Amino acid sequence: MIADHRNGKIAGTDNLLALLMSAEDPETGYRYTDLEIRDEVMTFLGAGFETTAAALAWTWFLLSQHPQARRRLGEELDEVLGGREPTAADIDDLPWTQAVVAEAMRVFPPIMGVARTAKANDVLGDYPIKAGTSVAVLMHSVHHNRRVWENAYDFDPSRFRKENLDGPQRRAHIPFGAGKRMCIASGFANQEATLIVARLAQRYELDLVPGQRLRRELTFTGGPDGKMLMAVRRRAISPGPADRRRL
Ligand code: HEM
């Protein structure tokens, strides 16, 4: 595709690839090499697209299995939005929607784990770690640690109501990693996922088509391995308080 952009086979300029290809450092005039352009695009696709896609796929799956959580989601969306489109300004008023997204990412963290290399000798818990050792942090294990999470395998968004979360749970919810190399786009991704869930759940209910054998892809991201077929049903929006006043 880089070659096709260069030789004019692809003419569009309003896309990420074209922007990276035309980018130039204003001070030094440096332009990305083809390999750097490819690496940047791969980062956006892998880190920026697959992750949120995996988070959303599992969110729809979990909602289809938990009608009560889904009903509450619909009620919150009707109450706050009353049928109008959600915007970023609504997010603070949608605590249950946010909790659904956070809990889905706890149960099915989009990134399975991250690795670090110890710079110096250290001790982690009872384990001596030698400098140079690779240490993996498995989000999935941390998110299902029974010492921190009660009924860790159950999907229960109410854990993420602010008043219910205790300190250890806050620290043990790490879908975006932690520390210096934590996801640079966690705020954006949370906002994007919350708005997509709000916008779609406001209008539709998605039910898992029975008889599918769902498996989790065990690669860098942990989305569904293959298709996840859902039946889509339009839901009736009840007027929220703002609309009721107008009626
Ligand atoms: C639900 C969505 C997302 C999840 C769960 C997620 C998760 C993560 C995790 C676990 C890391 C590694 C942190 C570490 O090593 O400690 C990471 C890094 C990163 N993410 Fe995300 N991410 C998401 C969305 C995004 C989006 C939308 C973008 C860009 C548009 C993005 C860009 C990056 C980049 C550039 C890094 C590397 C940061 C660095 O090494 O300093 N991510 N992400």
Side-chain angles (χ1 to χ4, degrees):
M1 287 182 81
I2 294 173
D4 285 350
H5 267 276
R6 206 154 271 146
N7 64 27
K9 263 197 204 159
I10 300 177
T13 50
D14 57 346
N15 60 68
L16 178 67
L17 181 55
L19 285 172
L20 287 167
M21 287 179 66
S22 61
E24 190 177 298
D25 186 311
E27 282 166 21
T28 62
Y30 182 81
R31 296 172 75 110
Y32 285 129
T33 64
D34 284 0
L35 186 61
E36 283 169 338
I37 292 170
R38 178 221 172 256
D39 287 350
E40 287 289 341
V41 172
M42 289 306 286
T43 302
F44 269 91
L45 288 178
F49 175 80
E50 288 293 331
T51 45
T52 313
L56 290 170
W58 291 121
T59 302
W60 299 121
F61 165 76
L62 289 163
L63 285 171
S64 81
Q65 306 299 296
H66 295 86
Q68 250 178 316
R70 183 166 76 181
R71 200 168 313 120
R72 198 160 164 191
L73 176 64
E75 282 164 11
E76 176 176 271
L77 295 170
D78 288 352
E79 180 75 24
V80 175
L81 305 168
R84 70 172 167 80
E85 276 184 31
T87 69
D90 294 309
I91 288 184
D92 284 349
D93 298 325
L94 299 171
W96 187 256
T97 316
Q98 290 187 65
V100 164
V101 172
E103 173 68 345
M105 285 200 277
R106 183 191 69 81
V107 178
F108 291 115
I111 288 192
M112 309 294 275
V114 289
R116 297 285 189 268
T117 306
K119 279 171 111 176
N121 292 339
D122 206 343
V123 178
L124 261 186
D126 294 333
Y127 296 93
I129 310 281
K130 277 206 185 112
T133 308
S134 290
V135 180
V137 180
L138 299 179
M139 273 70 161
H140 184 87
S141 307
V142 177
H143 286 185
H144 294 84
N145 185 335
R146 291 197 169 87
R147 281 177 296 180
V148 181
W149 307 101
E150 217 172 284
N151 302 322
Y153 281 83
D154 292 355
F155 173 71
D156 176 8
S158 65
R159 300 177 201 274
F160 283 91
R161 295 207 65 107
K162 282 195 183 83
E163 63 276 14
N164 292 347
L165 266 194
D166 65 23
Q169 289 170 340
R170 256 178 247 279
R171 288 192 295 279
H173 184 247
I174 50 167
F176 296 103
K180 273 192 192 164
R181 302 307 293 260
M182 182 180 162
C183 179
I184 197 167
S186 59
F188 168 80
N190 265 325
Q191 179 170 313
E192 181 187 32
T194 306
L195 285 178
I196 292 172
V197 170
R199 180 91 162 94
L200 288 181
Q202 180 183 41
R203 281 145 205 257
Y204 304 103
E205 282 185 346
L206 277 68
D207 288 306
L208 190 71
V209 173
Q212 297 179 73
R213 194 161 160 261
L214 291 183
R215 285 179 11 166
R216 204 158 170 213
E217 196 179 35
L218 291 180
T219 55
F220 172 60
T221 47
D225 187 3
K227 287 183 181 165
M228 185 193 281
L229 297 178
M230 310 289 277
V232 180
R233 204 163 9 96
R234 197 176 270 281
R235 70 179 279 277
I237 300 173
S238 331
D243 296 69
R244 259 186 238 125
R245 274 197 299 278
R246 257 186 267 134
L247 290 175

